[in-house]
Amino acid sequence: MTTPAPAPRTVNLAITGASGAQYALRLLQCLVAAGTRVHVMVSRAAQVVIATETDLKLPGSPRAMQECLTEFSSAEPGQVLVFGREDWFAPPASGSGEKAPLVICPCSTGTLSALATGASNNLIERAGDVALKERRQLILVPREAPYSEVHLENMLRLTRMGAVVMPASPGFYHKPQSVEDLVDFVVARLLDHLNLPQDLMPRWGEARVEAKQPR
């Protein structure tokens, strides 16, 4: 019998400039609701995308952004911490920092390229580099279509390095009734991989198992 992995106390969440800001914001809400501390990193391009795709306008400074995201996610004081793009003293920047999983959601193809080639030009790229070298859980959520040969090669390379590449490709077998249902499908899969509880959607086969239980 294998021992289930414990739920993480901290999750590092990086938001880059691919389309799909709704996935990141919903994931943040769910991580907070699960009682997890969240270290947030936001690229400049992500700020533009968030303002374009949602009604949320993130301020420029990390402190103001932290206050905004704390209010948005209904987090407790200190539960959501935002680190600047060149905050090299942030916990995700070093292997000596807390051993926390990193989710890059959404993950731009530029970030894929940087991680696949070992670039560390900003905190997000450095955090990904640390996750890879320390063999920590790294989940990448690209949202692009179609993928070029370069994109596919980078995803294959990162998969071989130990990352999980989980494209934002929602299923439809749960009979979604809204865009929010599609977003929740992807977020539920992320929470499952992080070993965090979720009731956004039933897991595959749960109804079948329930039907076989003795009455």
Side-chain angles (χ1 to χ4, degrees), residues 14 17 50 56 60 64-65 86 90 94 111 128 132 155 164 178 180 191-192 199 203 214:
I50 290 171
L56 187 65
M65 192 183 299
E86 296 184 345
S94 173
T111 303
L132 289 170
M155 285 189 277
V164 171
S178 66
E180 288 76 17
L191 294 171
D192 282 342
D199 57 5
R203 293 178 177 87

Side-chain angles (χ1 to χ4, degrees), residues 78-141:
Q79 188 178 3
V80 172
L81 302 179
V82 175
F83 296 98
R85 300 174 188 90
E86 296 184 345
D87 188 348
W88 307 118
F89 289 97
S94 173
S96 301
E98 182 177 358
K99 186 179 180 180
L102 171 61
V103 182
I104 304 182
C105 175
C107 182
S108 67
T109 54
T111 303
L112 281 175
S113 175
L115 296 180
T117 55
S120 294
N121 296 314
N122 54 54
L123 180 58
I124 292 176
E125 294 175 7
R126 173 58 183 168
D129 192 44
V130 167
L132 289 170
K133 79 182 184 69
E134 298 290 327
R135 303 297 193 267
R136 295 177 183 171
Q137 187 176 21
L138 173 60
I139 304 175
L140 309 173
V141 188

Side-chain angles (χ1 to χ4, degrees), residues 138-155:
L138 173 60
I139 304 175
L140 309 173
V141 188
R143 209 302 312 158
E144 186 61 83
Y147 292 124
S148 73
E149 182 177 351
V150 172
H151 302 153
L152 294 169
E153 287 178 346
N154 286 334
M155 285 189 277

Side-chain angles (χ1 to χ4, degrees), residues 3-9 194-195:
T3 303
R9 294 176 298 173
L194 292 169
N195 195 36

Side-chain angles (χ1 to χ4, degrees), residues 2-200:
T2 58
T3 303
R9 294 176 298 173
T10 302
V11 172
N12 297 322
L13 172 61
I15 307 172
T16 64
S19 180
Q22 294 86 346
Y23 294 111
L25 296 176
R26 181 62 169 145
L27 177 59
L28 175 62
Q29 289 178 325
C30 293
L31 291 173
V32 166
T36 303
R37 183 173 58 206
V38 190
H39 293 164
V40 180
M41 298 159 278
V42 183
S43 72
R44 289 188 178 89
Q47 285 185 262
V48 175
V49 173
I50 290 171
T52 301
E53 296 185 342
T54 76
D55 295 328
L56 187 65
K57 303 293 188 292
L58 292 181
S61 74
R63 180 177 294 275
M65 192 183 299
Q66 180 171 303
E67 293 175 356
C68 178
L69 291 176
T70 294
E71 180 180 359
F72 170 81
S73 62
S74 301
E76 297 293 330
Q79 188 178 3
V80 172
L81 302 179
V82 175
F83 296 98
R85 300 174 188 90
E86 296 184 345
D87 188 348
W88 307 118
F89 289 97
S94 173
S96 301
E98 182 177 358
K99 186 179 180 180
L102 171 61
V103 182
I104 304 182
C105 175
C107 182
S108 67
T109 54
T111 303
L112 281 175
S113 175
L115 296 180
T117 55
S120 294
N121 296 314
N122 54 54
L123 180 58
I124 292 176
E125 294 175 7
R126 173 58 183 168
D129 192 44
V130 167
L132 289 170
K133 79 182 184 69
E134 298 290 327
R135 303 297 193 267
R136 295 177 183 171
Q137 187 176 21
L138 173 60
I139 304 175
L140 309 173
V141 188
R143 209 302 312 158
E144 186 61 83
Y147 292 124
S148 73
E149 182 177 351
V150 172
H151 302 153
L152 294 169
E153 287 178 346
N154 286 334
M155 285 189 277
L156 176 59
R157 184 176 300 174
L158 287 164
T159 299
R160 287 172 171 166
M161 293 178 189
V164 171
V165 178
M166 189 184 301
S169 303
F172 289 84
Y173 53 78
H174 63 308
K175 299 180 180 178
Q177 301 298 308
S178 66
V179 172
E180 288 76 17
D181 289 343
L182 295 174
V183 171
D184 279 355
F185 182 97
V186 174
V187 172
R189 296 285 285 126
L190 291 168
L191 294 171
D192 282 342
H193 273 259
L194 292 169
N195 195 36
L196 289 169
Q198 63 86 14
D199 57 5
L200 301 179

